Amino acid sequence: MKVLPVKSSTIDIVGYDEHTHRLRVSFRHDKPQEFCHVPEQTFKAFINARSKNRFFKRHIQNAFPC
């Protein structure tokens, strides 16, 4: 799993496995969450988003349950 620190007020670290398409989001003040079947394009857009928290809430949070 590729792990990247991100600049965000709520999100600390984002991990992504290109083979299983599993995304792990570690929060500053909450437990980490995992998401399944996340397309690589969505992961890249998430990493490049100006507001990681806004992108997470709009495009990931309820869209990719494991």
Side-chain angles (χ1 to χ4, degrees):
M1 180 173 281
K2 183 188 308 182
V3 179
L4 302 168
V6 295
K7 289 188 178 186
S8 170
S9 60
T10 57
I11 299 170
D12 193 29
I13 297 171
V14 175
Y16 184 72
D17 188 318
E18 298 167 350
H19 302 292
T20 63
H21 301 282
R22 186 175 289 252
L23 176 71
R24 182 179 180 99
V25 180
S26 296
F27 298 90
R28 293 190 186 279
H29 304 291
D30 204 358
K31 62 183 179 180
Q33 295 180 21
E34 291 209 2
F35 304 90
C36 295
H37 310 291
V38 179
E40 192 168 352
Q41 292 171 279
T42 301
F43 166 69
K44 288 179 179 180
F46 180 35
I47 291 300
N48 292 318
R50 177 181 276 186
S51 172
K52 309 289 188 283
N53 190 47
R54 184 181 306 141
F55 188 95
F56 171 77
K57 287 181 176 181
R58 289 183 181 175
H59 302 285
I60 296 172
Q61 188 172 31
N62 297 313
F64 300 102
C66 286

